[in-house]
Amino acid sequence: MNTTEKQMQETIPILDFGSQYVQLIARRVREAGVHAVLVRPDITANELRQLSPIGLILSGGPASVYEAESPKCDPAIFDIGVPILGICYGMQISAQVLGGAVRAGHAGEYGAARLRVCTDGAAGKMADDLFAGIPDETGVWMSHADQVQDLGPDFVALASTATCPMAALRHRTRAVFGVQFHPEVTHTPHGGKLLENFLYRVCKASGSWKMGNFVEIAVEKIRRQVGKGRVICGLSGGVDSAVAAALLHRAIGGQLACIFVDNGLLRKNERHNVESTFRDHFRIDLRTVDASDLFLDALAGVTDPQEKRKVIGRLFIDVFKREAKGIADARFLAQGTLYPDVIESGQGYARTAANIKLHHNVGGLPAELGFELVEPLRDLFKDEVRRLGEVLGLPEHLVWRHPFPGPGLAVRCIGEITRERLELLRHADEIFLEEIVSAGLYRSTSQTFAALLPVSSVAVMGDGRGYKPVIALRSVDSTDFMTADWSRIPYDVLARVSNRIVNEVRQVSRVVYDITSKPPGTIEWE
Ligand code: XMP
């Protein structure tokens, strides 16, 4: 292992006690330049040692440490000898293991609170490491009913709020810290600084988790895995497969062949954009399969959304398989699997919280295709993939692209799918996106698109009266796409979109804006 590789191994394991913010903690640590991984709360001290941690973070969680069924940690983790930061439940369990006591507080504390940091005497000195550069009085985000009520002989309180006298702790002899509030959320304005203090002042991190370093290591790893073998990568037009392909190309150049299936359900110019980026700019061996007739013929008369998904999924595998067979001695298949997929599939660690995967993944390939998988992004979160895409020189429109479902426009063309209806939808969708981009709203919205409804409404045009289809506009803000809120797009932007659609898409005379959050409404209409 070379020096960079060793530094890249500088890891902070985060024990997940079921906090809704646990992925956010990992992202914050990584944003601060240190690699973080999520691990089970009951991981043993020995298993942890194998990860060569430079420190540990114990997350929050919904349980109470004094309940018999609550998740416990191996007490020996406190003897590994690396610094530990407990957050909320993580602080409470640290206190409980090391001689303190936790009980329900007189009052719960949810939302914003004022934190006072000790500045005098021994406690003030002990607060220096964690609170360096943070005002003595500052806002924090709280979410707890229990609190540490007895410090035991070894803990010192470093900070308090009006209802929580022990809102931050430090052990007298071990590098064990605890905070009752959530430094990982943006509502704790100096939370990022506190995490940095823990990483750099306490754990002495070098801050080597940078995308430039990542590329170097990942390229090396890919070369080691595939040797002189050929790798196939399916491109979808989405961010993950695009970044995976660009990274593989950097690593193995001509050994990579990409397959892009045009299923006739793509957005306006999508095929052209993919081809011009990958074939013309990167000079990747890209094979586009025009299978639009095959897909659209098979979808004729199909109106049930799940049936549409099944038809598309099945055909995609057939088409991909046939094309892949034509690539001589390909042994590897690259996929843009991300870290949250690894966690959710249970390969990363077993979650304590109930875990409902809402994705209906169409466009995936079955294991029995017989390839060995190459998954160069399986360590990364989505925002890191985007940063990586930028480092690799992918164009901005690809790196910041909103997600697009595997079944494409099929699930946005509500009801029957015909070439004419798809064309109409594509045109309206293009206008909506153009206006969102020119109003500077593309980056602040998470997923924006048009859907074509299977109803007609009355239209008065000139002196005539007609019945024409309705376009629904949908735009949502979301971080994980499991929940979402409709985007508050300014009325004048909506007015421009509506005007343009009814004027430029002759067949449409009515436009509506979807103001449903998820839940209960899903992001897609089908
Ligand atoms: P919903 O509509 O369930 O969507 O709120 C959540 C996210 O998943 C995408 N989506 C799909 N992605 N195949 C996919 O690959 C599908 O069948 C599918 N259906 C929905 C959706 O666009 C959103 O990003």
Side-chain angles (χ1 to χ4, degrees):
M1 207 184 289
N2 60 33
T3 319
T4 331
E5 211 159 335
K6 257 198 207 120
Q7 283 176 350
M8 288 284 294
Q9 297 276 316
E10 211 175 66
T11 296
I12 297 277
I14 300 169
L15 277 66
D16 179 7
F17 290 98
S19 166
Q20 55 175 324
Y21 300 131
V22 71
Q23 291 202 16
L24 199 52
I25 304 174
R27 282 171 45 195
R28 293 278 175 269
V29 172
R30 288 178 176 206
E31 274 163 24
V34 181
H35 185 229
V37 291
L38 303 184
V39 296
R40 291 186 326 270
D42 57 353
I43 187 169
T44 65
N46 271 340
E47 286 168 328
L48 270 176
R49 277 195 197 92
Q50 283 162 27
L51 299 174
S52 317
I54 58 164
L56 304 178
I57 294 180
L58 314 189
S59 86
S64 287
V65 292
Y66 46 77
E67 286 167 355
E69 297 298 302
S70 60
K72 304 283 186 282
C73 61
D74 177 0
I77 65 170
F78 292 94
D79 300 323
I80 292 180
V82 296
I84 294 181
L85 173 66
I87 297 174
C88 195
Y89 185 93
M91 160 169 127
Q92 295 167 5
I93 203 162
S94 307
Q96 193 188 46
V97 172
L98 298 176
V102 177
R103 284 186 281 275
H106 297 301
E109 203 178 16
Y110 299 94
R114 296 299 296 169
L115 184 83
R116 278 174 204 282
V117 183
C118 295
T119 48
D120 298 332
K125 254 196 147 29
M126 287 178 78
D128 260 5
D129 280 327
L130 211 52
F131 289 95
I134 296 176
D136 302 341
E137 195 180 324
T138 178
V140 292
W141 189 258
M142 287 286 199
S143 179
H144 69 115
D146 295 344
Q147 45 177 274
V148 175
Q149 293 203 342
D150 177 357
L151 292 171
D154 293 320
F155 278 105
V156 174
L158 307 178
S160 59
T161 67
T163 59
C164 182
M166 296 156 202
L169 314 177
R170 179 176 183 167
H171 196 277
R172 285 180 204 281
T173 53
R174 301 169 188 239
V176 176
F177 298 78
V179 289
Q180 182 55 66
F181 53 90
H182 289 273
E184 67 276 21
V185 303
T186 47
H187 309 289
T188 299
H190 295 282
K193 179 69 183 155
L194 186 138
L195 288 172
E196 272 178 30
N197 286 342
F198 176 68
L199 297 170
Y200 290 96
R201 294 177 70 100
V202 180
C203 301
K204 312 286 182 217
S206 70
S208 52
W209 180 252
K210 306 256 161 56
M211 273 310 140
N213 295 353
F214 177 86
V215 172
E216 216 178 292
I217 305 291
V219 159
E220 219 14 72
K221 248 165 109 177
I222 293 167
R223 287 183 183 152
R224 229 180 288 151
Q225 184 186 356
V226 308
K228 299 239 171 294
R230 288 213 88 186
V231 181
I232 298 178
C233 179
L235 282 177
S236 67
V239 185
D240 306 341
S241 63
V243 174
L247 181 59
L248 281 154
H249 187 247
R250 169 86 58 105
I252 54 170
Q255 285 164 251
L256 174 71
C258 290
I259 297 176
F260 178 62
V261 177
D262 180 351
N263 56 10
L265 302 161
L266 304 171
R267 286 165 292 187
K268 194 87 163 187
N269 294 329
E270 193 142 35
R271 174 168 164 183
H272 169 78
N273 285 341
V274 169
E275 288 181 333
S276 73
T277 303
F278 289 94
R279 187 176 293 151
D280 307 341
H281 177 70
F282 281 105
R283 309 226 161 270
I284 286 179
D285 171 5
L286 169 65
R287 296 145 193 243
T288 305
V289 191
D290 187 347
S292 42
D293 284 339
L294 187 71
F295 279 80
L296 298 184
D297 291 347
L299 285 167
V302 179
T303 52
D304 176 72
Q306 292 311 72
E307 191 52 34
K308 287 179 181 175
R309 287 187 166 86
K310 275 191 211 144
V311 170
I312 294 165
R314 211 170 34 232
L315 280 180
F316 177 78
I317 292 165
D318 288 351
V319 171
F320 193 92
K321 234 162 115 180
R322 204 173 323 129
E323 190 63 24
K325 271 204 187 116
I327 300 174
D329 26 276
R331 231 171 31 87
F332 300 92
L333 179 69
Q335 290 202 324
T337 316
L338 305 192
Y339 192 47
D341 305 326
V342 175
I343 297 167
E344 284 187 9
S345 66
Q347 295 169 50
Y349 69 106
R351 280 189 68 93
T352 46
N355 183 14
I356 308 159
K357 174 120 173 112
L358 293 177
H359 268 264
H360 359 224
N361 233 338
V362 168
L365 291 161
E368 56 288 355
L369 281 190
F371 294 103
E372 185 181 321
L373 286 186
V374 184
E375 296 178 311
L377 311 181
R378 59 181 284 132
D379 252 351
L380 303 183
F381 286 109
K382 189 83 171 185
D383 41 345
E384 292 172 321
V385 170
R386 292 206 156 110
R387 278 217 303 285
L388 175 60
E390 286 173 337
V391 168
L392 291 167
L394 283 171
E396 188 176 328
H397 66 82
L398 246 174
V399 171
W400 289 98
R401 205 167 187 69
H402 289 175
F404 186 58
L409 297 183
V411 290
R412 296 180 179 174
C413 192
I414 317 303
E416 204 177 338
I417 299 168
T418 64
R419 287 169 176 78
E420 296 70 34
R421 294 190 80 218
L422 284 171
E423 207 37 58
L424 187 160
L425 171 59
R426 242 177 229 125
H427 193 174
D429 187 63
E430 182 192 29
I431 292 172
F432 188 21
L433 282 172
E434 266 175 18
E435 290 300 329
I436 288 292
V437 170
S438 73
L441 296 171
Y442 190 75
R443 286 257 195 127
S444 60
T445 54
S446 307
Q447 202 167 345
T448 301
F449 58 90
L452 176 61
L453 306 190
V455 288
S456 294
S457 83
V458 181
V460 184
M461 293 174 124
D463 292 330
R465 193 176 161 87
Y467 289 94
K468 297 195 171 190
V470 180
I471 281 286
L473 306 176
R474 178 81 163 140
S475 181
V476 295
D477 302 341
S478 174
T479 45
D480 55 8
F481 299 91
M482 302 274 198
T483 59
D485 197 7
W486 56 280
S487 314
R488 285 3 181 219
I489 295 177
Y491 284 170
D492 55 340
V493 178
L494 288 173
R496 255 197 320 274
V497 175
S498 157
N499 260 335
R500 278 195 60 194
I501 290 178
V502 294
N503 285 327
E504 294 173 36
V505 188
R506 307 296 304 174
Q507 303 89 326
V508 173
S509 62
R510 193 176 297 261
V511 178
V512 296
Y513 184 49
D514 181 350
I515 52 167
T516 322
S517 62
K518 171 182 177 175
T522 51
I523 295 173
E524 301 293 344
W525 271 56
E526 281 195 333

